[in-house]
Each structure stands twice: as structure tokens, then as C-alpha cells.
mmCIF file of all heavy atoms in Angstrom:
data_model
loop_
_atom_site.group_PDB
_atom_site.id
_atom_site.type_symbol
_atom_site.label_atom_id
_atom_site.label_comp_id
_atom_site.label_asym_id
_atom_site.label_seq_id
_atom_site.Cartn_x
_atom_site.Cartn_y
_atom_site.Cartn_z
ATOM 1 N N SER A 1 100.673 111.619 98.907
ATOM 2 C CA SER A 1 99.654 112.654 98.912
ATOM 3 C C SER A 1 98.321 112.088 99.335
ATOM 4 O O SER A 1 97.560 112.705 100.084
ATOM 5 C CB SER A 1 99.548 113.336 97.505
ATOM 6 O OG SER A 1 98.457 114.234 97.443
ATOM 7 N N THR A 2 97.992 110.869 98.823
ATOM 8 C CA THR A 2 96.741 110.246 99.166
ATOM 9 C C THR A 2 96.668 109.994 100.692
ATOM 10 O O THR A 2 95.630 110.270 101.299
ATOM 11 C CB THR A 2 96.606 108.914 98.393
ATOM 12 O OG1 THR A 2 96.686 109.201 97.062
ATOM 13 C CG2 THR A 2 95.331 108.238 98.755
ATOM 14 N N LEU A 3 97.725 109.475 101.280
ATOM 15 C CA LEU A 3 97.705 109.221 102.674
ATOM 16 C C LEU A 3 97.631 110.493 103.517
ATOM 17 O O LEU A 3 96.941 110.578 104.499
ATOM 18 C CB LEU A 3 98.919 108.418 103.085
ATOM 19 C CG LEU A 3 98.959 106.959 102.587
ATOM 20 C CD1 LEU A 3 100.335 106.344 102.734
ATOM 21 C CD2 LEU A 3 97.947 106.141 103.270
ATOM 22 N N ALA A 4 98.358 111.513 103.033
ATOM 23 C CA ALA A 4 98.300 112.801 103.744
ATOM 24 C C ALA A 4 96.855 113.418 103.744
ATOM 25 O O ALA A 4 96.354 113.947 104.650
ATOM 26 C CB ALA A 4 99.267 113.789 103.135
ATOM 27 N N THR A 5 96.235 113.277 102.528
ATOM 28 C CA THR A 5 94.856 113.781 102.390
ATOM 29 C C THR A 5 93.903 113.008 103.297
ATOM 30 O O THR A 5 93.020 113.562 103.977
ATOM 31 C CB THR A 5 94.405 113.670 100.912
ATOM 32 O OG1 THR A 5 95.274 114.442 100.109
ATOM 33 C CG2 THR A 5 92.976 114.160 100.719
ATOM 34 N N ALA A 6 94.061 111.697 103.266
ATOM 35 C CA ALA A 6 93.207 110.826 104.173
ATOM 36 C C ALA A 6 93.377 111.207 105.611
ATOM 37 O O ALA A 6 92.421 111.271 106.390
ATOM 38 C CB ALA A 6 93.547 109.367 103.899
ATOM 39 N N LEU A 7 94.618 111.418 106.031
ATOM 40 C CA LEU A 7 94.917 111.823 107.412
ATOM 41 C C LEU A 7 94.274 113.207 107.791
ATOM 42 O O LEU A 7 93.754 113.367 108.901
ATOM 43 C CB LEU A 7 96.339 111.818 107.667
ATOM 44 C CG LEU A 7 96.994 110.426 108.040
ATOM 45 C CD1 LEU A 7 98.538 110.518 107.963
ATOM 46 C CD2 LEU A 7 96.520 110.010 109.400
ATOM 47 N N THR A 8 94.343 114.115 106.842
ATOM 48 C CA THR A 8 93.718 115.388 107.065
ATOM 49 C C THR A 8 92.222 115.283 107.396
ATOM 50 O O THR A 8 91.710 115.858 108.307
ATOM 51 C CB THR A 8 93.962 116.365 105.938
ATOM 52 O OG1 THR A 8 95.355 116.577 105.733
ATOM 53 C CG2 THR A 8 93.266 117.684 106.086
ATOM 54 N N VAL A 9 91.554 114.426 106.577
ATOM 55 C CA VAL A 9 90.158 114.242 106.735
ATOM 56 C C VAL A 9 89.905 113.447 108.061
ATOM 57 O O VAL A 9 88.948 113.791 108.769
ATOM 58 C CB VAL A 9 89.569 113.456 105.538
ATOM 59 C CG1 VAL A 9 88.109 113.112 105.759
ATOM 60 C CG2 VAL A 9 89.661 114.239 104.267
ATOM 61 N N ALA A 10 90.754 112.508 108.354
ATOM 62 C CA ALA A 10 90.540 111.698 109.538
ATOM 63 C C ALA A 10 90.700 112.546 110.749
ATOM 64 O O ALA A 10 90.004 112.376 111.791
ATOM 65 C CB ALA A 10 91.554 110.564 109.575
ATOM 66 N N ARG A 11 91.594 113.483 110.780
ATOM 67 C CA ARG A 11 91.757 114.421 111.926
ATOM 68 C C ARG A 11 90.541 115.305 112.088
ATOM 69 O O ARG A 11 90.135 115.653 113.217
ATOM 70 C CB ARG A 11 93.001 115.253 111.797
ATOM 71 C CG ARG A 11 94.277 114.458 111.931
ATOM 72 C CD ARG A 11 95.509 115.377 111.994
ATOM 73 N NE ARG A 11 96.754 114.671 112.202
ATOM 74 C CZ ARG A 11 97.603 114.357 111.216
ATOM 75 N NH1 ARG A 11 97.342 114.822 109.980
ATOM 76 N NH2 ARG A 11 98.691 113.669 111.397
ATOM 77 N N THR A 12 89.886 115.654 110.988
ATOM 78 C CA THR A 12 88.736 116.516 111.008
ATOM 79 C C THR A 12 87.551 115.797 111.724
ATOM 80 O O THR A 12 86.833 116.372 112.524
ATOM 81 C CB THR A 12 88.295 116.943 109.585
ATOM 82 O OG1 THR A 12 89.411 117.704 109.017
ATOM 83 C CG2 THR A 12 87.064 117.808 109.633
ATOM 84 N N PHE A 13 87.405 114.538 111.369
ATOM 85 C CA PHE A 13 86.200 113.769 111.823
ATOM 86 C C PHE A 13 86.460 112.777 112.884
ATOM 87 O O PHE A 13 85.561 112.063 113.360
ATOM 88 C CB PHE A 13 85.555 113.115 110.612
ATOM 89 C CG PHE A 13 85.010 114.053 109.579
ATOM 90 C CD1 PHE A 13 85.647 114.289 108.417
ATOM 91 C CD2 PHE A 13 83.825 114.804 109.833
ATOM 92 C CE1 PHE A 13 85.203 115.216 107.473
ATOM 93 C CE2 PHE A 13 83.298 115.706 108.932
ATOM 94 C CZ PHE A 13 84.056 115.920 107.706
ATOM 95 N N GLY A 14 87.733 112.594 113.299
ATOM 96 C CA GLY A 14 88.077 111.511 114.240
ATOM 97 C C GLY A 14 87.845 110.130 113.652
ATOM 98 O O GLY A 14 87.161 109.305 114.268
ATOM 99 N N SER A 15 88.337 109.920 112.431
ATOM 100 C CA SER A 15 87.992 108.727 111.642
ATOM 101 C C SER A 15 88.897 107.522 111.917
ATOM 102 O O SER A 15 90.100 107.696 112.224
ATOM 103 C CB SER A 15 87.984 109.072 110.176
ATOM 104 O OG SER A 15 87.280 110.221 109.936
ATOM 105 N N TYR A 16 88.334 106.368 111.612
ATOM 106 C CA TYR A 16 89.163 105.123 111.550
ATOM 107 C C TYR A 16 89.584 104.966 110.037
ATOM 108 O O TYR A 16 88.743 104.987 109.156
ATOM 109 C CB TYR A 16 88.338 103.907 112.021
ATOM 110 C CG TYR A 16 88.948 102.582 111.634
ATOM 111 C CD1 TYR A 16 90.114 102.131 112.233
ATOM 112 C CD2 TYR A 16 88.334 101.826 110.650
ATOM 113 C CE1 TYR A 16 90.682 100.883 111.879
ATOM 114 C CE2 TYR A 16 88.895 100.592 110.229
ATOM 115 C CZ TYR A 16 90.071 100.127 110.906
ATOM 116 O OH TYR A 16 90.597 98.949 110.516
ATOM 117 N N LEU A 17 90.855 104.795 109.857
ATOM 118 C CA LEU A 17 91.449 104.603 108.498
ATOM 119 C C LEU A 17 91.803 103.137 108.362
ATOM 120 O O LEU A 17 92.516 102.577 109.192
ATOM 121 C CB LEU A 17 92.706 105.448 108.306
ATOM 122 C CG LEU A 17 92.554 106.933 108.304
ATOM 123 C CD1 LEU A 17 93.829 107.644 108.799
ATOM 124 C CD2 LEU A 17 92.208 107.436 106.900
ATOM 125 N N GLU A 18 91.365 102.520 107.271
ATOM 126 C CA GLU A 18 91.754 101.112 106.991
ATOM 127 C C GLU A 18 92.413 101.086 105.583
ATOM 128 O O GLU A 18 91.887 101.541 104.633
ATOM 129 C CB GLU A 18 90.576 100.184 107.001
ATOM 130 C CG GLU A 18 90.979 98.713 106.785
ATOM 131 C CD GLU A 18 89.885 97.754 107.237
ATOM 132 O OE1 GLU A 18 89.598 97.703 108.422
ATOM 133 O OE2 GLU A 18 89.333 97.076 106.333
ATOM 134 N N GLY A 19 93.630 100.512 105.618
ATOM 135 C CA GLY A 19 94.325 100.335 104.333
ATOM 136 C C GLY A 19 94.288 98.879 103.889
ATOM 137 O O GLY A 19 94.167 97.997 104.754
ATOM 138 N N PHE A 20 94.479 98.643 102.631
ATOM 139 C CA PHE A 20 94.746 97.336 102.088
ATOM 140 C C PHE A 20 95.500 97.460 100.751
ATOM 141 O O PHE A 20 95.446 98.527 100.156
ATOM 142 C CB PHE A 20 93.381 96.597 101.896
ATOM 143 C CG PHE A 20 92.623 96.998 100.686
ATOM 144 C CD1 PHE A 20 92.756 96.334 99.462
ATOM 145 C CD2 PHE A 20 91.710 98.070 100.775
ATOM 146 C CE1 PHE A 20 92.076 96.768 98.322
ATOM 147 C CE2 PHE A 20 91.007 98.451 99.676
ATOM 148 C CZ PHE A 20 91.177 97.821 98.449
ATOM 149 N N ALA A 21 96.191 96.439 100.466
ATOM 150 C CA ALA A 21 97.032 96.448 99.170
ATOM 151 C C ALA A 21 96.169 96.147 97.961
ATOM 152 O O ALA A 21 95.467 95.102 97.985
ATOM 153 C CB ALA A 21 98.168 95.478 99.311
ATOM 154 N N VAL A 22 96.163 97.069 97.002
ATOM 155 C CA VAL A 22 95.450 96.804 95.765
ATOM 156 C C VAL A 22 96.334 95.822 95.000
ATOM 157 O O VAL A 22 97.488 96.091 94.665
ATOM 158 C CB VAL A 22 95.322 98.109 94.890
ATOM 159 C CG1 VAL A 22 94.630 97.771 93.627
ATOM 160 C CG2 VAL A 22 94.491 99.138 95.699
ATOM 161 N N ARG A 23 95.741 94.610 94.661
ATOM 162 C CA ARG A 23 96.521 93.587 94.033
ATOM 163 C C ARG A 23 96.059 93.355 92.643
ATOM 164 O O ARG A 23 94.852 93.140 92.372
ATOM 165 C CB ARG A 23 96.386 92.303 94.866
ATOM 166 C CG ARG A 23 97.091 92.360 96.251
ATOM 167 C CD ARG A 23 96.488 91.364 97.216
ATOM 168 N NE ARG A 23 96.470 90.000 96.707
ATOM 169 C CZ ARG A 23 97.468 89.110 96.680
ATOM 170 N NH1 ARG A 23 98.605 89.438 97.177
ATOM 171 N NH2 ARG A 23 97.298 87.886 96.193
ATOM 172 N N VAL A 24 96.929 93.394 91.682
ATOM 173 C CA VAL A 24 96.596 93.162 90.301
ATOM 174 C C VAL A 24 96.102 91.727 90.119
ATOM 175 O O VAL A 24 96.640 90.776 90.669
ATOM 176 C CB VAL A 24 97.807 93.402 89.402
ATOM 177 C CG1 VAL A 24 97.494 93.223 87.964
ATOM 178 C CG2 VAL A 24 98.396 94.816 89.635
ATOM 179 N N SER A 25 95.035 91.553 89.304
ATOM 180 C CA SER A 25 94.533 90.219 89.040
ATOM 181 C C SER A 25 95.390 89.445 88.110
ATOM 182 O O SER A 25 96.171 90.034 87.279
ATOM 183 C CB SER A 25 93.083 90.316 88.494
ATOM 184 O OG SER A 25 93.084 91.032 87.247
ATOM 185 N N VAL A 26 95.357 88.130 88.161
ATOM 186 C CA VAL A 26 96.140 87.274 87.300
ATOM 187 C C VAL A 26 95.743 87.569 85.849
ATOM 188 O O VAL A 26 94.570 87.516 85.527
ATOM 189 C CB VAL A 26 95.891 85.801 87.626
ATOM 190 C CG1 VAL A 26 96.686 84.912 86.636
ATOM 191 C CG2 VAL A 26 96.314 85.498 89.093
ATOM 192 N N PRO A 27 96.649 87.874 84.977
ATOM 193 C CA PRO A 27 96.350 88.087 83.576
ATOM 194 C C PRO A 27 95.611 86.926 82.917
ATOM 195 O O PRO A 27 95.830 85.770 83.336
ATOM 196 C CB PRO A 27 97.737 88.282 82.929
ATOM 197 C CG PRO A 27 98.635 88.650 84.034
ATOM 198 C CD PRO A 27 98.137 87.974 85.244
ATOM 199 N N THR A 28 94.786 87.233 81.959
ATOM 200 C CA THR A 28 93.968 86.186 81.323
ATOM 201 C C THR A 28 94.883 85.135 80.730
ATOM 202 O O THR A 28 94.518 83.864 80.785
ATOM 203 C CB THR A 28 93.048 86.749 80.249
ATOM 204 O OG1 THR A 28 92.285 87.786 80.811
ATOM 205 C CG2 THR A 28 92.271 85.736 79.582
ATOM 206 N N VAL A 29 95.987 85.492 80.174
ATOM 207 C CA VAL A 29 96.825 84.447 79.488
ATOM 208 C C VAL A 29 97.415 83.499 80.542
ATOM 209 O O VAL A 29 97.603 82.326 80.278
ATOM 210 C CB VAL A 29 97.999 85.150 78.784
ATOM 211 C CG1 VAL A 29 97.499 85.910 77.546
ATOM 212 C CG2 VAL A 29 98.852 86.060 79.703
ATOM 213 N N VAL A 30 97.637 83.943 81.770
ATOM 214 C CA VAL A 30 98.138 83.082 82.789
ATOM 215 C C VAL A 30 96.961 82.249 83.320
ATOM 216 O O VAL A 30 97.129 81.022 83.486
ATOM 217 C CB VAL A 30 98.765 83.870 83.946
ATOM 218 C CG1 VAL A 30 99.152 82.955 85.092
ATOM 219 C CG2 VAL A 30 99.967 84.657 83.395
ATOM 220 N N ALA A 31 95.842 82.788 83.486
ATOM 221 C CA ALA A 31 94.644 82.086 84.047
ATOM 222 C C ALA A 31 94.284 80.985 83.109
ATOM 223 O O ALA A 31 93.750 79.931 83.526
ATOM 224 C CB ALA A 31 93.523 82.959 84.236
ATOM 225 N N MET A 32 94.495 81.142 81.781
ATOM 226 C CA MET A 32 94.108 80.164 80.801
ATOM 227 C C MET A 32 95.204 79.120 80.528
ATOM 228 O O MET A 32 95.149 78.328 79.591
ATOM 229 C CB MET A 32 93.681 80.816 79.505
ATOM 230 C CG MET A 32 92.440 81.701 79.626
ATOM 231 S SD MET A 32 92.045 82.588 78.122
ATOM 232 C CE MET A 32 91.713 81.255 76.978
ATOM 233 N N ASP A 33 96.315 79.275 81.258
ATOM 234 C CA ASP A 33 97.515 78.360 81.135
ATOM 235 C C ASP A 33 98.139 78.519 79.784
ATOM 236 O O ASP A 33 98.801 77.568 79.267
ATOM 237 C CB ASP A 33 97.088 76.903 81.373
ATOM 238 C CG ASP A 33 96.780 76.645 82.792
ATOM 239 O OD1 ASP A 33 97.352 77.252 83.664
ATOM 240 O OD2 ASP A 33 95.951 75.713 83.050
#
């Protein structure tokens, strides 16, 4: 639904769409070894 909504807006304005992967951060317990 998010991508379909973004495309609907992009078609309206002739937009450039850029995607990227949302990456979960390393949990604190792992970061602290």
C-alpha cells in the first residue's frame, strides 16, 4: 500500500522515487558484547 500510494503521488507530480532498506540497529546487548 505504501508503494502504491507513493506511485500515485509520483505520477501526479512527475517525481523521482528513492527507496532504501530500513535496517534495525544492533541491540544494546550485542553492542556491549
